[in-house]
Amino acid sequence: MMNQAQTILRAAEEAMGVPAAKAEVHALHNAVGEAVCREILPRWTQCRRAHLENRRVCYFSMEFLMGRAVYNNLYCLGLLKDMEQAFADAGTSLSVFEEIEDAALGNGGLGRLAACFLDSAATLSLPVDGYGIRYKYGLFKQGFADGRQTETGDDWSRFGDPWSIRCEADAVEICYQGQKVRAVPYDMPVIGYAGEGRQPHIGTLRLWQAEPLQAFDFDRFNAQDYLAASQETIAAEDISRCLYPNDDTRAGKALRLKQQYFFCAASLADCLRKHKAQFGTLDSLPEHLAVQLNDTHPVISIPELIRLLKLEGYTFEQALDMAKRIFSYTNHTIMQEALEKWDCDLVEELLPEIYAVILQISEQFLAELYAKDIAPEQIAAMRIVKNGQVHMANLAMYAGVYVNGVAAIHTELLKTTVLKEWYALAPQKFQNKTNGITQRRWLGVCNPELTTLMTELSGSQDFLTDLTKLSALSHYADDTAVMEKFRAVKQTKKQQLAAFIAKTEGVQIDPNTCFDIQIKRLHEYKRQLLNAFSILWIYFGIKDGTIRDFTPTTFLFGAKSAPGYRRAKAIIKYINEIAKLVDSDPDVKGLMQVHFVTNYNVSYAEKLVSACDISEQISTAGTEASGTGNMKMMLNGAVTLGTLDGANIEIVDAAGAENNYIFGATVEELEQLENYCSRAVLAKDPRIARVVKTLIDGTVSDGGSGEFRELYFALLDGASWHQPDHYYLLLDLPSYAETKLRALADYRDSAAFSAKQWRNACAAGPFSSDRTIAQYAAECWHISAV
């Protein structure tokens, strides 16, 4: 009698008409995915019904960085091992699906967090569904040409997308001034981890694809105006063509605003339609619906809901009251430039009805403030419409039930900096929800070797649904035999990563070295440039003999820069030039190597986090809202080399400062810093000068573009939009380099260092997204398991 995995594979082979061993890999993946979806459809339908019958949450996000679905879905269904065996019995291997593209519908922490949250909500059987955009090309596929980032379209679904179901009957018409498009939903199952003997709970991620009302104008084509015949199709499909189009022109800004309104309007129309079908009236909408706005991108939902409710016969006051009981807002940054503001004339031009509602909301809010005799300067800070712009964070603060930060320090900074006027006015709105990660993907799937060891030691896999149970294993850090097994696991993961890099990029790295890894979105505040400076600090120290007995180390970077972010792209070029310098120098051969991995994505991250020895989390104190890469590497047994920023603080509290490596100025120290002069720092420390001047002295070359020189003068003289060295790289560089050297020296004592790594993994319990989502459910959304 066949087991479920064998049944699924047999169905896939019958659908293809060829045996699995002879099937083309994409055809096999499509057939397997479709067979799995057929198997789970009855349960999925049951869970959908339960969501609609109860109070539910709709999670609105511009990004859902889901990654490759097949392994995670099979794992959560408890079918991964059986499917591996079924494939082996059929004369092939499940590893062939490594060729399948990631669904790269995000750009880092924001989108990956949203994916983890849906996973946790499904695992906890909570009625939570996601809403976003089905981008045709996702972010982009990254390459390097002469060390510079190149971008090409990432057509992730060109061979098919078996994990999504098109729902034509639920399409919505979206209206802009002068343009109408169709929003067509594709539903993706989000399979919760069930464990043995339990049916999985299955949530839904509904992604909207923009399509024209009329795909092809035959009359224009017949008149030989070929481009005009498809003009409506092009204009509509541009809306969901790619994530975060460059917006340094008005056209780019207009497209971004269109994207945001597109998915918010479609999602709210869907929510209202389903609610009316279930309950017959919208009067009870706030009792049955909570909408979480993931950053400011979906905040346009607030005036859109009010507009829709007014069409249903509610007054503005009634609609506003309902909105103020439905929406909550997650803030992801304290940086003013990242808190979205839309020019009023652009909003009015594209969305005149929405702009009219925004003005109504703004006037209502101002009337309330003046009636309370709020100080004029406080009112000015909180105005929704001011200086010709709509301030989306202020709109979310006024019309939302709650606002949450994503780490303890981040939430406190919101209260004392960018949202301090709001905290003074409405402190009850503020909550903290420290981010988390799903241990199913970021341990169970990506590191089965470590999962097996932890299972043997604990006697169960309960930690896959309650990560705090790992704390009971912490004492094994003192067990010599267990630590030998742990080091063997780590070595296996490093060998696997090295083999993958060799196969995909043609670069050989040494798995017997320490792996020092920084993987995250490329941004100045994340300070990849500081990491590069520290590598040169070490390089010059080895060359001149001031650094002796250096621990052989491979420094790995993974990051994508926004296509229009010239300074970030210059940093990528600089790191790649340093890699060439180090690799070509026989004096450091075998001691250090630098490599910037190509096209960093979720699947690449799974390999990197499990192989990491030292996790680089080096943002300027007070700038990183939380971070989740730090949690992934911690869970897989890495020590953190970082500042007291974001969730690093909570990681150190959980795992112990003695098991991590902290450096740099704190938030409090930076606040008290007076008359900081980066030129004085450079002049007084020749070690800093030697490193920083490589940007202009020819040690490495930018090919005459001047981009390295621009980095140099930004650090020393600033620019029109920022002070010199506004992320304090030169201030923190000596402390950072010395702390890094200490960590690398400690790595030589493998027993003591692996004990630190193990204690970090066992202390990762608080950083499960299960904990985060349980807190949201109880404290913010007020929902229960179904």
Side-chain angles (χ1 to χ4, degrees), residues 390-646:
V390 181
H391 290 241
M392 305 308 282
N394 286 346
L395 177 55
M397 289 303 306
Y398 171 60
V401 186
Y402 302 112
V403 58
N404 70 275
V406 291
I409 185 176
H410 172 233
T411 301
E412 291 308 307
L413 286 170
L414 291 178
K415 296 175 183 178
T416 58
T417 58
V418 291
L419 299 179
K420 62 182 179 182
E421 292 84 5
W422 286 101
Y423 186 63
L425 178 70
Q428 75 281 358
K429 284 179 178 276
F430 285 72
Q431 297 188 359
N432 178 59
K433 299 288 177 283
T434 296
N435 285 344
I437 59 170
T438 166
Q439 63 265 38
R440 272 75 61 182
R441 182 181 286 269
W442 296 110
L443 180 63
V445 173
C446 80
N447 202 339
E449 297 87 351
L450 183 55
T451 303
T452 297
L453 176 58
M454 290 173 163
T455 301
E456 290 173 357
L457 295 174
S458 62
S460 77
Q461 289 196 329
D462 290 351
F463 57 85
L464 290 174
T465 51
D466 181 0
L467 196 59
T468 62
K469 290 189 180 297
L470 287 184
S471 63
L473 305 181
S474 186
H475 68 278
Y476 285 109
D478 300 318
D479 187 310
T480 302
V482 171
M483 287 301 95
E484 285 181 359
K485 291 181 180 180
F486 174 57
R487 286 193 294 275
V489 166
K490 181 67 74 173
Q491 187 62 24
T492 296
K493 303 312 290 184
K494 291 164 76 170
Q495 289 167 348
Q496 290 172 359
L497 175 61
F500 181 78
I501 291 174
K503 178 183 177 182
T504 58
E505 303 191 43
V507 174
Q508 302 292 329
I509 65 171
D510 184 356
N512 296 309
T513 61
C514 178
F515 280 10
D516 176 295
I517 299 180
Q518 186 178 17
I519 44 174
K520 50 185 74 252
R521 180 169 55 91
L522 206 305
H523 196 287
E524 289 167 86
Y525 83 83
K526 295 178 184 288
R527 301 204 295 189
Q528 285 94 344
L529 183 56
L530 177 64
N531 192 351
F533 284 162
S534 77
I535 293 169
L536 284 174
W537 181 296
I538 293 168
Y539 171 77
F540 288 134
I542 294 172
K543 294 276 286 182
D544 67 17
T546 56
I547 295 175
R548 297 183 177 89
D549 300 321
F550 180 70
T551 304
T553 304
T554 300
F555 299 98
L556 294 169
F557 292 83
K560 291 181 178 180
S561 163
Y565 192 172
R566 290 187 292 272
R567 197 174 281 176
K569 296 176 88 167
I571 292 169
I572 291 176
K573 168 68 172 171
Y574 183 61
I575 293 169
N576 280 324
E577 289 302 310
I578 291 171
K580 285 167 58 177
L581 173 72
V582 170
D583 194 46
S584 63
D585 192 332
D587 290 347
V588 296
K589 195 74 172 176
L591 288 178
M592 59 189 303
Q593 184 177 4
V594 182
H595 181 59
F596 205 121
V597 305
T598 306
N599 201 40
Y600 172 64
N601 58 18
V602 173
S603 294
Y604 219 139
E606 291 172 6
K607 295 173 174 62
L608 287 157
V609 301
S610 57
C612 180
D613 290 311
I614 297 175
S615 164
E616 295 271 359
Q617 308 296 328
I618 61 175
S619 52
T620 311
T623 60
E624 182 73 83
S626 171
T628 53
N630 46 8
M631 302 170 187
K632 294 161 192 166
M633 289 188 268
M634 175 197 196
L635 177 57
N636 281 272
V639 300
T640 294
L641 170 59
T643 52
L644 288 175
D645 191 31

Side-chain angles (χ1 to χ4, degrees), residues 55-99:
R55 177 172 171 82
R56 74 168 182 143
V57 173
C58 294
Y59 194 88
F60 285 16
S61 179
M62 280 290 285
E63 302 181 36
F64 286 94
L65 191 51
M66 303 304 288
R68 187 187 293 126
V70 59
Y71 297 130
N72 193 74
N73 285 348
L74 292 173
Y75 188 84
C76 288
L77 288 167
L79 295 176
L80 187 59
K81 288 186 177 180
D82 285 349
M83 191 63 78
E84 287 173 345
Q85 186 59 53
F87 267 60
D89 292 343
T92 185
S93 170
L94 198 61
S95 65
V96 297
F97 290 156
E98 289 280 344
E99 292 184 33

Side-chain angles (χ1 to χ4, degrees), residues 214 216-231:
Q214 180 182 358
F216 181 68
D217 189 328
F218 189 83
D219 289 339
R220 285 189 172 185
F221 188 85
N222 199 41
Q224 300 167 63
D225 192 353
Y226 303 123
L227 184 60
S230 300
Q231 190 171 358

Side-chain angles (χ1 to χ4, degrees), residues 698-713:
T699 301
V700 292
S701 172
D702 62 10
S705 67
E707 54 198 318
F708 292 175
R709 186 184 306 137
E710 197 278 334
L711 291 174
Y712 178 82
F713 287 111

